[in-house]
Amino acid sequence: MKASTSIVFLLSCSATKAASGFQLPKATTAANSASKLSMSISPSSIGGLLIRGGAAAEPALQNFYGDALGYFGGIRIPASFLAGSSLAAMFIFKTKANNGGELSTLERRVLGFYHFNSLLAFLLSLNTIASATIAHTAVLHGRFNKMAETAYMMMKREFEYEFVTVRW
């Protein structure tokens, strides 16, 4: 019995036979008449074959060129807004910092911590803008494998450094 004939036989069986289990007919060909082939198929296997259409399909690969281009092109705008606001935030309390004599130790430490975090946000935003611009240009060059199961998997595989650093 050929493989395609056995699949058709499996798919054409009734639901009652699938629930109770059955045995395929024994294969008797001239080549292997001495050996008898008997296969027992469980009901869960038949149900899986009927649902999936015969066999497990591999995940389809898709082209995610446009997704990568949109991600690296679009992430620069929010990073630019954050860079501008953190740059402005560094100079909000400049007059209080100059009059350090009237601030308590706790207030000076909190103010220093605030300025440090503002500077860090500004620098990380600039890093995001630069990395996203470089990755965007690399995507435009097109010298990478665009096919993957998901956009995340493609960007993680092809642009690992850029993809990780722009998501800080």
Side-chain angles (χ1 to χ4, degrees), residues 6-168:
S6 65
I7 290 175
V8 171
F9 176 73
L10 288 174
L11 293 177
S12 65
C13 70
S14 67
T16 58
K17 285 185 180 179
S20 64
F22 67 95
Q23 290 205 353
L24 288 176
K26 297 178 182 178
T28 55
T29 60
N32 61 357
S33 61
S35 67
K36 295 181 179 180
L37 176 64
S38 175
M39 295 174 48
S40 176
I41 299 177
S42 69
S44 61
S45 299
I46 293 173
L49 286 173
L50 292 175
I51 291 171
R52 291 188 311 234
E58 293 183 13
L61 298 179
Q62 297 176 358
N63 186 348
F64 289 104
Y65 173 81
D67 293 349
L69 199 61
Y71 179 77
F72 289 122
I75 198 76
R76 294 181 294 178
I77 295 168
S80 299
F81 290 146
L82 186 61
S85 63
S86 61
L87 180 64
M90 285 191 289
F91 299 105
I92 287 178
F93 297 114
K94 186 176 179 184
T95 56
K96 283 209 173 220
N98 289 341
N99 301 333
E102 52 192 56
L103 295 175
S104 69
T105 306
L106 178 63
E107 289 175 334
R108 274 184 284 192
R109 287 189 183 183
V110 168
L111 192 57
F113 184 69
Y114 177 79
H115 284 315
F116 174 75
N117 284 336
S118 297
L119 178 64
L120 186 63
F122 177 71
L123 293 176
L124 289 174
S125 296
L126 286 182
N127 183 39
T128 297
I129 294 166
S131 296
T133 302
I134 291 167
H136 192 263
T137 305
V139 170
L140 288 175
H141 281 292
R143 296 184 199 130
F144 63 96
N145 184 6
K146 303 164 188 73
M147 304 303 282
E149 294 175 23
T150 63
Y152 178 86
M153 291 174 72
M154 189 272 299
M155 287 192 283
K156 185 81 169 146
R157 182 188 66 224
E158 298 293 330
F159 302 102
E160 184 173 9
Y161 173 77
E162 294 87 351
F163 187 56
V164 170
T165 57
V166 300
R167 297 184 311 152
W168 65 270

